Amino acid sequence: MTQQESHPEIQHDPAWRMRVTVSLGMLVLLWPMLQITEFKPWQLIDAQSLGAAWRFLSGFFPPAHSTEFLLIVLEASWQTIAIATAGLTLALLGAIPMTLIVNEHLSISRIGSGRMHGMARLLRQLVRWMLVLLRSVPELVWALLFVRLVGLGPTAGVFAIALTYAGMLGKVYAEILEASDAHATDSLLRNGSSRLTAFLYGALPNAAPELISYTIYRWECAIRGSVVMGFVGAGGLGQRMDESMKMLSGAEVSTMLIVFVLLVGLADLASKLFRKALA
């Protein structure tokens, strides 16, 4: 008696050949990509790398905790939050008008005929490409450009976040609004209301929780992004960390990493509380 006959409940997976074929195909595609990227993880565990890592990490303990340094870190942390908040506020000022333009549910010309006017379609497409352009360039690249234009400091970080996040927010806001029920918006537009009125009383009430939730998530991302941009001179906690790393001061880097983790944790907690309040 075979094993399958003794356990009749055991069935073969009818799709196992396809699963194995797809897995082998993925491995064949992945191998040249690993070669192109010169992926060599074994370099992490050779003696030279382990020695360098130990010398670097051993300087992290104990973290720097002098009153003077903690005050500097506190000021830099507050500056990081300010960069993220100011940048996101400017991004909203750019994203909301562009969202209203690209949202097809708010098109007056399609009411009745069902077809959008040619000029309206062209304008929406141009704004969509503007959103693509803004979010295609990473905030780090924008920060490098603005550091050249306005010099070192938080202003470059604020502009970088504003431009990149305006593109992200505009795209996602438009998708959220277009995925919501358009019945109320259509009714208001058919009865002669303006686009803004149709948005405020037709589309916004249904989509508001999701829009606010995504905006809070983007604020959390902006805090992380503002730290990264500090490494190119855009101010905040990242710029202080870059200076400490160049001076090989592991204790100061350790303190700022702890503060950075706490900062992101607090942003995540605030985000959860807002989402819970909206639920």
Side-chain angles (χ1 to χ4, degrees), residues 145-253:
L145 293 174
F146 280 111
V147 163
R148 267 66 177 176
L149 293 175
V150 301
L152 298 173
T155 304
V158 171
F159 280 135
I161 289 177
L163 290 179
T164 306
Y165 282 42
M168 294 178 181
L169 291 171
K171 175 184 184 296
V172 177
Y173 283 175
E175 289 179 352
I176 291 173
L177 291 170
E178 288 176 358
S180 62
D181 187 6
H183 178 73
T185 305
D186 288 349
S187 297
L188 288 168
L189 291 176
R190 284 195 184 96
N191 286 284
S193 74
S194 65
R195 287 166 48 84
L196 184 60
T197 303
F199 168 71
L200 292 175
Y201 295 99
L204 189 59
N206 290 330
E210 198 169 353
L211 292 174
I212 294 174
S213 176
Y214 181 72
T215 305
I216 295 170
Y217 168 70
R218 271 295 146 202
W219 177 69
E220 182 187 326
C221 294
I223 290 177
R224 293 197 298 268
S226 62
V227 173
V228 175
M229 286 186 291
F231 282 84
V232 297
L237 201 57
Q239 189 167 343
R240 292 288 181 186
M241 192 180 297
D242 182 47
E243 293 169 358
S244 296
M245 291 186 76
K246 287 177 179 174
M247 292 188 297
L248 301 178
S249 179
E252 292 183 0
V253 174

Side-chain angles (χ1 to χ4, degrees), residues 17-232:
R17 292 179 186 276
M18 178 60 70
R19 298 182 201 277
V20 172
T21 303
V22 171
S23 300
L24 291 176
M26 293 295 290
L27 287 175
V28 170
L29 290 174
L30 182 61
W31 179 250
M33 296 179 188
L34 293 175
Q35 293 297 312
I36 292 173
T37 56
E38 299 181 358
F39 183 65
K40 300 174 181 176
W42 53 86
Q43 290 181 342
L44 290 172
I45 56 175
D46 66 18
Q48 186 176 359
S49 298
L50 290 175
W54 171 252
R55 287 192 298 275
F56 181 68
L57 293 176
S58 60
F60 278 37
F61 303 97
H65 55 277
S66 68
T67 304
E68 182 182 2
F69 179 70
L70 291 178
L71 287 175
I72 292 173
V73 173
L74 181 63
E75 182 183 357
S77 302
W78 181 243
Q79 195 175 63
T80 296
I81 296 173
I83 292 171
T85 306
L88 188 67
T89 303
L90 290 179
L92 286 170
L93 294 177
I96 291 174
M98 286 191 284
T99 301
L100 296 180
I101 292 173
V102 301
N103 186 4
E104 295 184 4
H105 287 177
L106 295 176
S107 172
I108 296 177
S109 62
R110 73 174 178 84
I111 298 299
S113 65
R115 298 183 59 184
M116 200 181 301
H117 192 273
M119 288 300 295
R121 189 182 300 114
L122 177 62
L123 177 61
R124 281 178 172 77
Q125 198 60 37
L126 289 175
V127 176
R128 284 187 186 278
W129 276 108
M130 177 64 72
L131 292 174
V132 170
L133 172 65
L134 291 175
R135 70 174 182 272
S136 297
V137 181
E139 61 261 47
L140 189 61
V141 177
W142 283 121
L144 282 168
L145 293 174
F146 280 111
V147 163
R148 267 66 177 176
L149 293 175
V150 301
L152 298 173
T155 304
V158 171
F159 280 135
I161 289 177
L163 290 179
T164 306
Y165 282 42
M168 294 178 181
L169 291 171
K171 175 184 184 296
V172 177
Y173 283 175
E175 289 179 352
I176 291 173
L177 291 170
E178 288 176 358
S180 62
D181 187 6
H183 178 73
T185 305
D186 288 349
S187 297
L188 288 168
L189 291 176
R190 284 195 184 96
N191 286 284
S193 74
S194 65
R195 287 166 48 84
L196 184 60
T197 303
F199 168 71
L200 292 175
Y201 295 99
L204 189 59
N206 290 330
E210 198 169 353
L211 292 174
I212 294 174
S213 176
Y214 181 72
T215 305
I216 295 170
Y217 168 70
R218 271 295 146 202
W219 177 69
E220 182 187 326
C221 294
I223 290 177
R224 293 197 298 268
S226 62
V227 173
V228 175
M229 286 186 291
F231 282 84
V232 297

